[in-house]
Amino acid sequence: MADPVVEHGAEAGGAAMPQLNPDYFSNQIFWLLVTLVVIYFILSRVALPRIASVLAERQGTITNDIAAAEELKQRAQEAEAAYEKALSDARAEAAKIVDDTKAEIQTQLDVELQKADAEIAAKTAESEAAIAEIQAGAADAVKTVAKEAAKEIVAAMGGTADARTVTAAVTARMKG
Amino acid sequence: MADEAHSGGGLEFHPLDQFEVKALFGDGPIHWYTLTNVTAWMALAVICIVLLLVVGTRKRAVVPGRTQSVAEMAYGFVYTMVEDVTGKDAVKYFPYIFTLFIFILFSNFLGLLPMSFTTTSHIAVTAVLALGVFLFITILGFVKNGPAFLKLFWVSSAPLALRPVLAIIEIVSYFVRPVSHSIRLAGNVMAGHAVLKVFAGFAQVGFLIAPFAILGVVAIYGLEVLVAFIQAYVFTILTCVYLKDALHPSH
């Protein structure tokens, strides 16, 4: 530094730059040491452990949360699997019930059908008997009518018809 | 530079006045125990550090607020630096390194306030810091490694003939470390502040120069903000590098 600085420094402390004035050194060094010791104790006793614990706690919280989320996801997957299983079980159950019911209905149906068939057969037999009876009745009636008519015709032609002859003739005719 | 009386307006530069150490009470001589502006600004730095790192983190919130975020960021910044540069076994010296970092950082930034006194602009302060690091590392190196610490100066990867020469260079550079370590910090801070004052002095000159001087002040101030952080960072990272030598002296 130039001469004027020396002049200026001289009036203030003695050296050109205040930084180089040895009168100030002890004061600065003393207060610096005090400051450093104070800061060191505050930091190492209070501030740094506290920040470290906060950071560790946060890390722990994050890890726990991630684990919890993982577990919840796992549980959700399990629940989904259980749901799927329940659903398929229910489907199988429903299918089984449907099959059972179908089979039951089928057996019932078969029974009913047999019964109905038997009934129908009985009815048919009955009807056939009735028809046979009616046919027989009709044949008798025809025979009677034919006998009457033959007797009348014979009488009208002037002959006397023997009842037995007429009957035989009519029977023979009807058989033919 | 100083006291250049201008013929026109009595222009005066006192770029170094800001570095004067003054007693807070009275005008008496400055003894080692005198309460001075050094005391005041160092106490202010301590208060700011307490506000940030103790009061700011008092809630211990898992989800941090603004101040706590900054405190954690500073913690994490230095912690990773120590871990990356020096290694995991250096973590127990972390409080010491963090003390250096936070003190220099706050002193630098408080020094940027107008009318303030910058404690880190004084070579006496930075020399104590650097000598502290130097002694700490040298003693630690011998305690940890015994005489094997001297291998630091014996470059075993070099050809045998070169080793004595390299050893001399290594020893010289080892002892120059505290000098460069301290002068780098004080020099950067002091130069920046002096330049700011010079620009501010030019702001008195007149309409032609004053605007440029003010722009210059703004620009240099921005630069100084950067320097304030970078010098704290550089001092800390160099401490970490030196500490690594003490813990692992072999090349």
Side-chain angles (χ1 to χ4, degrees):
Chain A
M1 292 293 159
D3 284 345
V5 184
V6 175
E7 201 181 300
H8 158 73
E11 63 186 56
M17 288 163 67
Q19 276 91 340
L20 299 179
N21 185 344
D23 292 352
Y24 298 159
F25 286 175
S26 58
N27 182 272
Q28 289 175 318
I29 291 167
F30 170 67
W31 288 115
L32 173 67
L33 292 178
V34 170
T35 307
L36 286 182
V37 168
V38 168
I39 295 176
Y40 183 81
F41 273 93
I42 291 171
L43 291 187
S44 60
R45 291 292 149 87
V46 186
L48 297 183
R50 185 186 290 176
I51 295 175
S53 77
V54 167
L55 292 179
E57 194 184 329
R58 179 170 316 142
Q59 197 56 47
T61 310
I62 290 170
T63 316
N64 285 348
D65 283 0
I66 287 173
E70 200 64 37
E71 199 192 310
L72 286 178
K73 196 179 157 196
Q74 188 86 23
R75 253 194 256 167
Q77 278 171 349
E78 275 166 22
E80 201 193 335
Y83 166 78
E84 290 290 343
K85 193 171 171 295
L87 199 65
S88 64
D89 280 0
R91 281 217 181 97
E93 187 88 357
K96 195 166 160 278
I97 288 172
V98 167
D99 286 352
D100 284 358
T101 314
K102 254 188 198 160
E104 200 174 316
I105 288 172
Q106 195 60 48
T107 30
Q108 272 181 6
L109 200 61
D110 287 352
V111 170
E112 293 290 328
L113 274 175
Q114 268 174 1
K115 216 188 273 180
D117 279 351
E119 230 163 87
I120 289 166
K123 280 259 162 86
T124 313
E126 207 172 295
S127 303
E128 269 169 5
I131 289 167
E133 205 173 299
I134 289 168
Q135 267 178 350
D140 278 355
V142 166
K143 208 186 270 181
T144 316
V145 170
K147 265 189 245 173
E148 293 296 320
K151 229 183 258 177
E152 287 300 320
I153 291 166
V154 170
M157 297 206 15
T160 352
D162 177 14
R164 213 185 299 155
T165 322
V166 171
T167 305
V170 167
T171 309
R173 270 303 206 193
M174 277 182 70
K175 269 179 190 163
Chain B
M1 276 166 79
D3 277 0
E4 282 175 306
H6 200 274
S7 55
L11 180 66
E12 287 190 356
F13 288 126
H14 297 295
L16 299 178
D17 270 10
Q18 56 178 325
F19 303 122
E20 279 309 329
V21 175
K22 297 180 194 106
L24 282 181
F25 309 104
D27 270 339
I30 288 166
H31 303 290
W32 60 268
Y33 53 82
T34 314
L35 290 173
T36 56
N37 46 359
V38 178
T39 323
W41 285 96
M42 283 186 182
L44 215 55
V46 172
I47 290 168
C48 290
I49 290 166
V50 168
L51 282 179
L52 174 66
L53 293 177
V54 177
V55 179
T57 59
R58 71 189 183 284
K59 286 190 211 148
R60 299 158 184 269
V62 172
V63 179
R66 267 182 243 169
T67 324
Q68 197 186 323
S69 294
V70 174
E72 285 172 10
M73 223 190 282
Y75 181 97
F77 179 70
V78 180
Y79 196 89
T80 19
M81 198 197 301
V82 173
E83 220 176 35
D84 291 351
V85 175
T86 316
K88 284 231 183 280
D89 50 345
V91 162
K92 56 177 172 249
Y93 309 112
F94 167 66
Y96 175 56
I97 293 168
F98 195 69
T99 302
L100 291 178
F101 174 75
I102 207 84
F103 171 73
I104 296 171
L105 188 74
F106 270 92
S107 298
N108 286 353
F109 275 115
L110 285 173
L112 283 173
L113 296 174
M115 314 294 292
S116 71
F117 175 82
T118 318
T119 49
T120 40
S121 69
H122 279 261
I123 190 74
V125 171
T126 57
V128 169
L129 291 174
L131 271 177
V133 171
F134 178 78
L135 289 177
F136 170 65
I137 279 159
T138 310
I139 294 169
L140 186 74
F142 278 112
V143 168
K144 284 260 163 194
N145 306 292
F149 182 56
L150 293 172
K151 275 189 203 154
L152 181 63
F153 308 116
W154 196 250
V155 187
S156 49
S157 56
L160 191 60
L162 274 177
R163 282 184 206 173
V165 182
L166 284 175
I168 292 169
I169 294 171
E170 288 282 334
I171 289 170
V172 169
S173 84
Y174 186 81
F175 283 96
V176 167
R177 274 178 183 181
V179 178
S180 65
H181 207 187
S182 57
I183 289 181
R184 183 182 302 110
L185 175 58
N188 267 290
V189 175
M190 192 214 122
H193 284 242
V195 167
L196 267 181
K197 271 285 153 71
V198 170
F199 270 88
F202 273 114
Q204 318 167 44
V205 169
F207 293 113
L208 278 177
I209 299 176
F212 294 104
I214 291 169
L215 271 180
V217 168
V218 172
I220 301 283
Y221 193 91
L223 190 69
E224 282 308 294
V225 170
L226 211 64
V227 166
F229 175 76
I230 287 174
Q231 286 308 317
Y233 174 72
V234 165
F235 194 96
T236 318
I237 204 159
L238 281 175
T239 306
C240 291
V241 171
Y242 299 162
L243 185 58
K244 189 185 177 208
D245 283 346
L247 295 177
H248 316 285
S250 47
H251 277 273

